[in-house]
Amino acid sequence: MSHPHLQSRRLFLKLTATTSGLLFSGLAFTAENSAIVNRQNDEENAAQFPLLILHADNSITVINTRAEMGQGVSTSLTQLLFEDLDADWQQLKTVEQGWADDTRFGHQNTIGAISSLIAWNFHRQVGAKINLLLREAACKVWKLSLSEVKTNQGVVTNLKTGQYLTYGQLSKLVQTDLPKDKLALKQPASFSVIGQSKPRVDLLEKVNGTAMFGLDVNLPQLKVAVVARCPVFGGKVQSFDATEAAKIKGVQQIFAVPSGVAVVADNYWQAISARKLLQITWQEGDFATVSSNEVLAEFKQLLDAPGKVVKEQGDIALLDEKKERILTRDFEFPLVAHMTMEPMNCTVWLKAGSCEIWAPTQNSQDAQSSAAKVLSLAKEKVRVNMTYMGGGFGRRAQDDFIVEACYIAKKFAHPIKLVWSREDDIQHDFYRPLNAQRISVRLDNNKIYAWQHKVATYSTSPYHFSLRDRGTPSGDWVAYGGADSSLYQIENFQTQVHLQESPLTVGILRGISHGYTHFAIESVIDELAEQVAADAIDFRLAQITETRAIKVLQRLQTRLANVVLQDNESLGVAFGHEKAPSGPYQYYNAVAAIIERTAERYRVKRLIVSLDHGQVINPDGLLAQVQGSAVFAVSMMFGQAITLKNGRIEQSNFHDSPVARIAQSVEVDLLTSDSTEWPMGVGEKLQGTIQPAIANALYRATGQRITSLPVDFSSLGA
Amino acid sequence: MTKLNINGNDIHTELSADTPLLWLLRDELKLTATKFGCGLGQCGACTVHVNGQAVRSCITPIASLSGQTIETMEHVNTELMTALKRQWQVHNVPQCGYCQVGQLMTASSLLNQNQQPSIHEIEQAMSGNICRCGTYGRIKTAILQTAEQLATEIK
């Protein structure tokens, strides 16, 4: 092994092996962090473009502008960029994680599985424009017109003479200002990079441990900060005594910040040990009497009262008309925490008149704005570097941990790294809101005639991740989205919501509200199919006219014809989709879940997933996302239950909030379409389909409908 | 003062004796391949080798490690680990990647003791390592193939 990082680390250890621990801080800075500090490669002769640096040796450094939280954007978006750049994949030197920069990188907020949707235009246009600039540079050399040259795999060829120039040879001649006008992009038939299972570009560093996550950031004189926060949401510090805490060796300062009491020390253990010794009197506030059981009971009651109508078509009064049958089904869902593997953290270095931040954030641009506000700096004076992030699932779209770190950093001339413990992370999350739902549906001639969906939950608006939507009515859509639209052709349709404000921080979590609204919808659809004695897929097909959706369902149906279930197995299906009123945002998926009864309980054995999320960019990356979605769904259905008692979260760590472990992994059989439509990500878009499919399979096995989570096995006779 | 042997080097540290090894590694020695996930020995992200055995560094005080041989991913370069890392890459295992070093450290400890583990034995041995991205299926495949490959090489 002669990896340079390992070499430098060994050397560093040798040099410092006999000195005391505290002298070590900062020495590793140059070796470990030069790459991130001097991210702007100013190598002579290299051409700097918005998304890449073209080196004279013909290699290319790509800058990943969107949050890499495991979903593989560093790889898939590089594929999009390389396709229209017409570069050879072998030219790829490295992909560096980017920084917040709206003028250079466009929209960077990484939520809603929209990275491929955005990059399908942005990255491909940048690739095509650089390709044009390279052809123009070659034309200048050869004194030819554009029609007399062509590119192929990183080379510009002179069609008259057969001579060629590599992109690298043109790096010092090429113009780097991108043309403004949109260019024509490659047609799917000529794709050579899109649709290929390129291995992840971050593989090596993620297996040898050199990948830099937020928590791994190291800087000169870096100190570690922790914060004691009020256990009750909405509470404040009334007074505190730090006498004992300050005695812990290594503690630098203890002081109040808006979110609690900050302890800054040389290392994490010192800081967390001191935090335990703080004597804090909290002003807990009104929320200190609230428990999730009572909240849920209240939400359930609200379903009996008329709510705010957020969507209506036809005449919902027809729900009461005496047609063949009516079905009403209630659902309730608990709070869910994200529990990313890497707890929240943020490193801030406030200098004179400027600031540099390193953060595992899904929302670097809003983080930049929020930090600038706290630090009273112009946005341009705040650089937010994106690190790798140990999972995101929507949690890192929030700016709370960045704002908190900025308040702490204000006190210091040296950098500080705010670290959250696992307990902090679970107890101060932006939870998927608990909610109660009711669907009432009237059938006519075996078709859905009238449909009413009611959702009672917390308002997400005050905590919306997007600064633009925070505190506005549109900030609430992520609390009920999915209940307000349907591909099923329903004449008379209505959505009502009850949204309560509370100091409990709630927000988006992988799949957002669709995770629970589609759960309810697809469970009811399954029940309706059963009531009219129809096949679950046939029943859905009979109510849908969207061609892409029909194909997805039919593909699943064809595959299911060959599936033979064992005696201890049951199968359930569900369908998922979203389609924006206009624009390319749409996807369609269908899942069949096979569960098996083992000696002790039910186990999700296998998923058959059929999907059309547009053009597939990286088939193996897509499969990885589906496999991961399956495990995430199992965690949410069978493991996690976050509960509130006396205004505080009762769970604290993985022991009392268990998640799926290796024995609960699920086999995945993936059926993709050959769609060449505008692509959508998949990472979060399957929760609302996989989960009801599993629930419907459990119904087949037990005869009981799953109407609340986590699944209560004792009530299923398991 | 505590004396430890980490990655072949003698380390003398004045950190308090109750400091978990994880924080000596990460905050003082800047050996950041070993991750912080839970601080309770529940997730396995902090797994290191002590005398070749997988140990949770987040709950192991440095005082208990005097005279023991500690190895982190930065230093483990056995044939077995090289083979495991190769299979991890062949099967495109990592997603976010945060837990993967811990997974590899546990997997290498498993294959050290059991060259031909069954699926059930793999699930048992790896049950302490959480992956929230859900790469479990690929981890199992990578471990099985490493075992197969090493068995073939020995023959």
Side-chain angles (χ1 to χ4, degrees):
Chain A
M1 269 289 185
S2 62
H3 191 280
H5 283 269
L6 299 191
Q7 285 294 349
S8 69
R9 280 184 176 169
R10 271 186 222 144
L11 184 64
F12 166 68
L13 265 184
K14 276 184 195 150
L15 288 173
T16 55
T18 54
T19 55
S20 93
L22 295 182
L23 294 176
F24 291 5
S25 300
L27 282 181
F29 167 67
T30 315
E32 303 298 325
N33 287 86
S34 54
I36 53 164
V37 173
N38 304 310
R39 196 185 292 278
Q40 302 264 20
N41 187 334
D42 55 4
E43 179 193 335
E44 218 182 318
N45 299 331
Q48 300 249 4
F49 296 101
L51 296 174
L52 65 86
I53 300 159
L54 172 62
H55 303 284
D57 67 0
N58 202 32
S59 66
I60 295 172
T61 296
V62 168
I63 299 158
N64 175 42
T65 61
R66 305 184 62 81
E68 177 58 84
M69 56 194 125
Q71 84 282 39
V73 278
S74 302
T75 309
S76 57
L77 301 199
T78 298
Q79 288 180 252
L80 296 182
L81 179 63
F82 267 44
E83 186 67 71
D84 292 275
L85 175 62
D86 205 7
D88 182 347
W89 195 251
Q90 299 297 322
Q91 287 176 265
L92 181 61
K93 185 181 184 180
T94 181
V95 179
E96 291 187 359
Q97 299 305 306
W99 60 95
D101 190 340
D102 47 6
T103 53
R104 179 165 172 168
F105 299 137
H107 178 279
Q108 292 179 274
N109 186 2
T110 312
I111 47 92
I114 55 171
S115 288
S116 34
L117 181 102
I118 286 173
W120 187 248
N121 180 39
F122 189 82
H123 282 58
R124 292 188 65 197
Q125 279 294 334
V126 169
K129 287 173 182 179
I130 298 172
N131 177 279
L132 173 64
L133 293 171
L134 286 162
R135 281 183 287 135
E136 285 174 349
C139 285
K140 236 181 195 168
V141 174
W142 291 321
K143 302 191 169 41
L144 296 175
S145 67
L146 280 171
S147 63
E148 293 165 315
V149 301
K150 67 159 194 175
T151 60
N152 183 35
Q153 301 280 301
V155 166
V156 190
T157 305
N158 180 331
L159 293 172
K160 282 189 150 173
T161 65
Q163 285 176 296
Y164 68 86
L165 287 164
T166 67
Y167 287 3
Q169 285 171 315
L170 293 164
S171 68
K172 54 196 142 190
L173 307 171
V174 67
Q175 293 294 313
T176 53
D177 289 334
L178 300 188
K180 290 243 170 346
D181 292 341
K182 270 195 170 189
L183 299 180
L185 300 174
K186 275 196 196 175
Q187 289 303 305
S190 55
F191 285 166
S192 62
V193 193
I194 293 172
Q196 304 292 312
S197 284
K198 296 295 181 196
R200 293 184 67 100
V201 296
D202 49 12
L203 266 181
L204 183 63
E205 52 186 327
K206 284 183 175 176
V207 300
N208 68 20
T210 54
M212 201 190 66
F213 295 87
L215 271 180
D216 301 333
V217 171
N218 181 32
L219 295 163
Q221 282 90 51
L222 179 72
K223 302 295 177 197
V224 176
V226 301
V227 172
R229 300 170 194 85
C230 184
V232 176
F233 293 89
K236 288 193 186 85
V237 178
Q238 188 169 311
S239 62
F240 71 96
D241 177 354
T243 315
E244 291 305 309
K247 290 178 185 166
I248 294 284
K249 188 176 148 193
V251 170
Q252 308 288 313
Q253 274 200 59
I254 299 173
F255 52 94
V257 288
S259 56
V261 179
V263 180
V264 179
D266 289 332
N267 70 40
Y268 175 79
W269 187 249
Q270 294 161 345
I272 208 84
S273 301
R275 189 175 82 170
K276 285 181 195 141
L277 298 176
L278 285 173
Q279 302 286 321
I280 306 175
T281 307
W282 300 107
Q283 214 175 356
E284 293 186 347
D286 297 342
F287 201 63
T289 59
V290 175
S291 296
S292 39
N293 278 344
E294 297 154 18
V295 173
L296 212 42
E298 203 181 317
F299 286 169
K300 282 198 268 188
Q301 274 193 346
L302 282 172
L303 296 176
D304 292 332
K308 180 185 166 195
V309 175
V310 290
K311 182 73 184 286
E312 189 157 35
Q313 65 195 35
D315 181 4
I316 200 61
L318 295 173
L319 196 62
D320 298 325
E321 206 182 302
K322 294 265 179 296
K323 294 280 179 182
E324 64 181 279
R325 65 179 81 222
I326 186 159
L327 171 72
T328 297
R329 188 57 83 180
D330 285 4
F331 296 85
E332 56 183 77
F333 294 91
L335 292 166
V336 185
H338 299 79
M339 293 194 275
T340 59
M341 284 309 294
E342 179 194 23
M344 296 307 107
N345 65 87
C346 178
T347 300
V348 182
W349 191 354
L350 184 58
K351 304 163 190 175
S354 71
C355 179
E356 187 154 10
I357 293 174
W358 290 262
T361 170
Q362 290 176 241
N363 194 352
S364 57
Q365 289 173 348
D366 277 355
Q368 184 187 30
S369 299
S370 296
K373 200 171 164 197
V374 172
L375 301 169
S376 307
L377 290 171
K379 200 179 79 175
E380 296 68 34
K381 294 290 179 187
V382 179
R383 182 176 168 102
V384 178
N385 300 297
M386 295 152 71
T387 63
Y388 281 131
M389 45 205 84
F393 315 131
R395 173 64 181 90
R396 296 184 206 278
Q398 297 289 346
D399 61 359
D400 60 317
F401 54 99
I402 290 153
V403 166
E404 191 173 65
C406 288
Y407 276 113
I408 298 167
K410 276 177 148 185
K411 295 259 187 188
F412 300 95
H414 57 70
I416 62 98
K417 174 160 63 180
L418 169 70
V419 180
W420 286 36
S421 69
R422 173 58 56 194
E423 290 78 8
D424 297 341
D425 197 272
I426 289 184
Q427 299 185 333
H428 299 276
D429 198 350
F430 285 68
Y431 309 89
R432 191 178 88 164
L434 72 176
N435 64 86
Q437 299 176 64
R438 173 173 299 159
I439 293 177
S440 306
V441 50
R442 176 74 72 175
L443 286 182
D444 179 25
N445 201 16
N446 289 355
K447 287 197 74 172
I448 303 167
Y449 175 66
W451 176 285
Q452 185 187 53
H453 196 155
K454 290 181 165 188
V455 182
T457 186
Y458 278 139
S459 165
T460 46
S461 180
Y463 312 108
H464 201 277
F465 58 90
S466 157
L467 296 177
R468 200 192 56 199
D469 288 337
R470 197 175 290 174
T472 73
S474 60
D476 270 328
W477 183 75
V478 293
Y480 62 81
D484 59 341
S485 66
S486 180
L487 270 198
Y488 299 117
Q489 296 295 304
I490 305 170
E491 243 172 277
N492 308 296
F493 180 94
Q494 190 193 57
T495 311
Q496 289 186 14
V497 297
H498 294 269
L499 300 172
Q500 284 205 339
E501 290 215 7
S502 106
L504 179 74
T505 44
V506 289
I508 54 169
L509 183 144
R510 196 175 195 174
I512 60 168
S513 47
H514 299 70
Y516 47 85
T517 57
H518 280 185
F519 190 117
I521 294 166
E522 288 300 307
S523 300
V524 166
I525 292 285
D526 198 67
E527 195 166 349
L528 292 171
E530 191 198 18
Q531 285 196 0
V532 301
D535 170 80
I537 294 181
D538 284 339
F539 183 76
R540 287 169 169 86
L541 284 169
Q543 335 261 342
I544 292 175
T545 56
E546 171 69 47
T547 316
R548 288 175 69 184
I550 289 169
K551 281 188 184 168
V552 162
L553 282 161
Q554 286 174 337
R555 196 173 292 112
L556 181 65
Q557 195 169 38
T558 306
R559 174 61 64 96
L560 290 182
N562 301 320
V563 171
V564 180
L565 295 179
Q566 304 298 308
D567 286 345
N568 65 338
E569 293 176 346
S570 333
L571 183 145
V573 300
F575 168 67
H577 77 281
E578 273 181 86
K579 185 180 183 182
S582 61
Y585 187 103
Q586 56 184 305
Y587 65 85
Y588 309 91
N589 56 53
V591 174
I594 297 170
I595 60 160
E596 67 174 353
R597 174 80 195 236
T598 61
E600 321 90 55
R601 63 187 326 193
Y602 294 98
R603 197 182 86 86
V604 183
K605 187 184 176 189
R606 182 173 158 217
L607 298 184
I608 304 168
V609 178
S610 167
L611 55 80
D612 174 2
H613 285 222
Q615 171 75 47
V616 175
I617 300 167
N618 184 314
D620 191 59
L622 170 62
L623 177 63
Q625 283 306 295
V626 179
Q627 290 165 332
S629 297
V631 174
F632 202 87
V634 167
S635 284
M636 216 192 288
M637 291 184 75
F638 303 111
Q640 284 164 247
I642 295 292
T643 52
L644 192 70
K645 194 170 184 187
N646 298 330
R648 59 201 89 201
I649 297 297
E650 292 187 280
Q651 293 71 29
S652 62
N653 208 313
F654 290 116
H655 68 289
D656 55 13
S657 190
V659 294
R661 291 180 185 263
I662 195 166
Q664 288 162 279
S665 66
V666 180
E667 289 169 42
V668 169
D669 189 356
L670 177 61
L671 313 169
T672 48
S673 73
D674 50 8
S675 172
T676 54
E677 299 287 336
W678 204 302
M680 276 286 304
V682 171
E684 77 157 3
K685 298 303 186 193
L686 286 169
Q687 291 308 312
T689 319
I690 293 174
Q691 294 190 31
I694 293 170
N696 292 338
L698 279 167
Y699 169 72
R700 295 280 177 284
T702 65
Q704 290 188 56
R705 289 283 166 195
I706 307 299
T707 56
S708 66
L709 290 185
V711 174
D712 177 5
F713 281 105
S714 61
S715 75
L716 293 178
Chain B
M1 168 144 356
T2 309
K3 294 182 195 175
L4 302 113
N5 189 283
I6 299 175
N7 293 347
N9 299 286
D10 287 327
I11 304 283
H12 301 246
T13 175
E14 286 170 2
L15 293 179
S16 68
D18 66 337
T19 306
L21 173 63
L22 177 65
W23 301 109
L24 169 66
L25 295 174
R26 288 188 55 83
D27 282 358
E28 304 296 334
L29 302 179
K30 314 301 178 193
L31 293 169
T32 52
T34 310
K35 303 300 185 201
F36 170 50
C38 70
L40 267 191
Q42 289 287 318
C43 79
C46 68
T47 307
V48 298
H49 289 173
V50 176
N51 305 325
Q53 302 271 332
V55 163
R56 306 290 187 238
S57 66
C58 75
I59 49 167
T60 308
I62 54 175
S64 70
L65 292 166
S66 208
Q68 323 261 354
T69 303
I70 298 154
E71 277 193 302
T72 69
M73 184 53 104
E74 285 90 344
H75 192 255
V76 179
N77 58 1
T78 57
E79 200 182 323
L80 171 58
M81 185 59 93
T82 307
L84 276 167
K85 284 187 191 170
R86 194 181 306 128
Q87 288 301 324
W88 242 249
Q89 290 176 72
V90 167
H91 296 284
N92 221 17
V93 173
Q95 287 186 31
C96 86
Y98 194 76
C99 73
Q100 297 299 341
V101 165
Q103 303 276 2
L104 281 157
M105 294 299 274
T106 307
S108 116
S109 179
L110 162 69
L111 291 185
N112 240 332
Q113 292 156 38
N114 180 356
Q115 279 78 39
Q116 293 297 304
S118 65
I119 284 275
H120 183 68
E121 286 168 333
I122 291 174
E123 288 180 349
Q124 288 274 307
M126 302 300 294
S127 67
N129 288 76
I130 293 173
C131 171
R132 286 287 281 152
C133 298
T135 64
Y136 295 133
R138 291 176 190 235
I139 288 174
K140 279 194 256 189
T141 309
I143 293 174
L144 280 171
Q145 300 234 331
T146 306
E148 211 169 279
Q149 182 201 337
L150 292 177
T152 320
E153 280 174 17
I154 290 163
K155 276 173 203 162

